[in-house]
Amino acid sequence: MTDAVYLDYNATTPLRPEVRDAIVGALDHVGNPSSVHRFGRTARRMVEDARERVGALAGVAPTQVIFTGGGTEANNMVLRCVPATRRMVSAIEHDSVLQAAADADLLPVSADGVLDLASLDRMLAEASGTVLVSVMLANNETGVIQPVADIARICRAHGALLHCDAVQAAGRIAIDCALLDVDFLSLSAHKLGGPQGVGALVLRGDRVFDPLLRGGGQERRRRAGTENVAGIAGFGCAAELAVRGLGDQDRVAALRDAMEDRLRTAVPDAGIHGAGAPRLPNTCCVSMPGVPSETQLMALDLAGIAVSAGSACSSGKVKASHVLLAMGVGEEEAGSALRVSLGWATGPADTDRFVEAWTAVHRRTHRPAS
Ligand code: PLP
């Protein structure tokens, strides 16, 4: 469909043209970064160049960046490999954290989706040994931003380690690891205009832990395997463009806010989840009471509009989103939520098309009985 509208940037972001060029340029070069000859040295330079740019995105030195096969791998490295006697994760984490730490204590959030700091403080005070805490910087479904610097202060006071999944935040808000004061931070290239299947784990200092992948000595012995040179080169280019493009986020927020105003006007009982908390500029999670998310998704897809359900599909069954349930949203309302996520190529024509199609679905499903 030529006039398709893509509003699913939180699932994956369209590749920026400059990133595509960087990837193709790297693919055209033969060389393993571990080889000592000139071909290898050129490949190594591409990887180290990208490491510098990704470090700049997170406000850290390049030596603190370990390239991975994506955000899921970075999260698994921390949750499965960092030694801790106990782990605590927020109830709204991505599955790549929740599943990697299935025995973790869940930290509650408020109705707006913000971590309950008093509960964190109390749970840490009651715990003994080394605790590893994991709280995301911004939620993938609602866009709600967590007060990570405050969370870090509480963790420090109790001697706990802090991991932060910044996969959705990177490129949408500025990230400064020194201000956030986290021990580990996860990133993923495809959420910020880079390719899929490449990410990074940012480490404070020289943290030692057993690698998830064993073999060669790549990535300073923390992640074995020949580097994905083309993917990493694309990640580096996307990271630099994302830093430069942060100024565009005001435009994206204005588009999102105007879209939400129109949704609320058209359907006054539409719930916009997390709207009372600081949020990413690009994300809107909206419920249409009484209409299941799948029904809305299919109708929108037929109209050429791509968005996501605010729910997870597993073994053929659509479950209400664990994020919305943790915020105290009822099963039915949670089961009628959509996630609309905007980005660098989104314009007013795209959000207009969504508003029109979504309100048409509402009209069709709420026709008075004749
Ligand atoms: N963390 C969050 C918050 C995400 O939204 C995602 C992907 O949707 C991931 C981690 C996983 O990242 P990747 O797709 O690079 O494995």
Side-chain angles (χ1 to χ4, degrees), residues 85-368:
T85 41
R86 203 153 163 187
R87 288 168 299 171
M88 297 182 185
V89 308
S90 91
I92 57 165
E93 291 304 306
H94 186 262
D95 270 345
S96 55
V97 167
L98 290 173
Q99 301 288 327
D103 61 347
D105 299 318
L106 291 184
L107 299 162
V109 296
S110 70
D112 270 329
V114 179
L115 195 84
D116 178 349
L117 298 182
S119 292
L120 171 67
D121 193 31
R122 182 179 43 74
M123 287 167 73
L124 285 174
E126 287 167 6
S128 53
T130 309
V131 182
L132 171 65
V133 174
S134 181
V135 180
M136 66 206 325
L137 185 48
N139 184 263
N140 42 305
E141 292 182 30
T142 61
V144 169
I145 298 170
Q146 300 299 327
V148 172
D150 297 334
I151 291 165
R153 260 189 293 283
I154 296 170
C155 288
R156 299 278 159 251
H158 294 282
L161 295 169
L162 179 58
H163 164 248
C164 179
D165 174 348
V167 162
Q168 292 289 348
R172 298 181 180 138
I173 54 172
I175 296 180
D176 183 338
C177 273
L179 286 179
L180 294 177
D181 197 20
V182 296
D183 297 287
F184 310 95
L185 184 116
S186 303
L187 298 170
S188 175
H190 74 108
K191 310 290 185 178
L192 48 87
Q196 295 162 338
V198 56
L201 179 63
V202 174
L203 305 175
R204 178 211 288 278
D206 223 22
R207 292 253 170 242
V208 178
F209 55 88
D210 283 340
L212 187 63
L213 297 183
R214 293 159 192 262
Q218 291 92 347
E219 297 300 295
R220 295 195 293 132
R221 307 208 154 273
R222 283 181 171 104
R223 202 270 186 183
T226 302
E227 297 87 340
N228 171 3
V229 178
I232 289 171
F235 188 10
C237 180
E240 186 173 328
L241 294 172
V243 172
R244 279 201 245 141
L246 281 173
D248 184 46
Q249 295 300 329
D250 289 346
R251 180 193 68 84
V252 174
L255 265 182
R256 189 270 314 267
D257 292 346
M259 177 184 81
E260 290 187 346
D261 285 347
R262 289 179 63 196
L263 297 178
R264 283 196 193 92
T265 306
V267 180
D269 61 345
I272 297 190
H273 306 290
R279 273 184 304 162
L280 293 178
N282 78 319
T283 308
C284 164
C285 182
V286 60
S287 281
M288 184 190 289
V291 186
S293 324
E294 311 93 279
T295 308
Q296 299 175 58
L297 272 188
M298 284 187 279
L300 290 166
D301 188 37
L302 284 173
I305 298 167
V307 296
S308 273
S311 51
C313 196
S314 70
S315 26
K317 272 195 181 166
V318 175
K319 288 192 301 175
S321 142
H322 71 278
V323 173
L324 298 181
L325 295 181
M327 291 163 68
V329 177
E331 286 262 355
E332 201 193 324
E333 192 181 356
S336 72
L338 288 189
R339 176 186 70 188
V340 187
S341 48
L342 289 55
W344 63 270
T346 308
D350 300 311
T351 48
D352 285 353
R353 280 269 305 280
F354 170 73
V355 173
E356 281 153 25
W358 188 80
T359 51
V361 174
H362 185 261
R363 268 197 309 279
R364 278 204 300 279
T365 50
H366 289 77
R367 262 192 211 124

